[in-house]
Amino acid sequence: MRTPNFFSEVRRIQNRFHNLFDPVSEGGQVYPALNVYTDQDKITVTAEVPGLSPEDLDITVAHNLLTISGEWKEYTQDKPRRIERARGKFQRRLELPVAVDSEKVEATVKEGVLTLVLPILESEKPRKIRIEAKA
């Protein structure tokens, strides 16, 4: 049986507490869900942003802090019977595990998914140290 990690338990409790005050209006979260993938050269972040175009989004990167902001516009139809999709302004901030090269970030939106490719700074990448033998 796996014992719970103290920090993961604290994070789980924080998330549950945060959900009590989550700004949800008539169903739907007011911020996009994120997935984060890392490898030795880059961090890739995907975000669900259905109905938003690149002009509706604002993305900033400073050192290891990524901020994604935007707004889902109000519905134009009169008195919808049921609303489950998000609407309103949102902002997601994500602390990245390492500093990235903000000058080389690539951002694309395709079929409602924002994809960010954030190259890791060379100074942050692990380096192999050569060992010299001395007689």
Side-chain angles (χ1 to χ4, degrees):
M1 186 168 123
R2 187 176 155 203
T3 58
N5 176 314
F6 173 75
F7 293 107
S8 64
E9 277 298 301
V10 169
R11 194 174 306 117
R12 185 184 65 78
I13 292 167
Q14 285 175 326
N15 287 339
R16 291 189 72 177
F17 181 76
H18 176 71
N19 288 342
L20 292 174
F21 303 100
D22 202 7
V24 176
S25 60
E26 300 174 321
Q29 297 177 338
V30 184
Y31 52 83
L34 301 179
N35 288 341
V36 181
Y37 308 92
T38 60
D39 63 31
Q40 64 187 17
D41 296 320
K42 66 186 177 305
I43 299 169
T44 304
V45 177
T46 60
E48 295 177 356
V49 292
L52 296 183
S53 66
E55 295 78 26
D56 297 324
L57 296 165
D58 184 33
I59 301 163
T60 60
V61 179
H63 301 289
N64 65 333
L65 184 64
L66 169 67
T67 304
I68 303 171
S69 305
E71 180 177 9
W72 279 290
K73 304 294 185 208
E74 291 291 324
Y75 299 107
T76 57
Q77 297 173 345
D78 292 332
K79 298 185 182 183
R81 183 177 178 122
R82 181 176 179 144
I83 297 175
E84 292 185 359
R85 291 187 57 195
R87 61 184 175 173
K89 293 182 180 183
F90 66 86
Q91 182 178 65
R92 290 291 311 260
R93 288 191 172 159
L94 177 66
E95 186 175 344
L96 303 169
V98 295
V100 297
D101 187 346
S102 61
E103 298 295 321
K104 296 181 181 176
V105 173
E106 297 175 11
T108 57
V109 175
K110 181 178 179 183
E111 297 178 359
V113 177
L114 169 67
T115 301
L116 300 169
V117 179
L118 305 119
I120 296 173
L121 283 172
E122 289 297 321
S123 61
E124 297 283 329
K125 294 179 184 178
R127 291 181 305 171
K128 184 168 175 104
I129 307 299
R130 184 173 170 225
I131 303 170
E132 295 181 26
K134 293 194 175 190

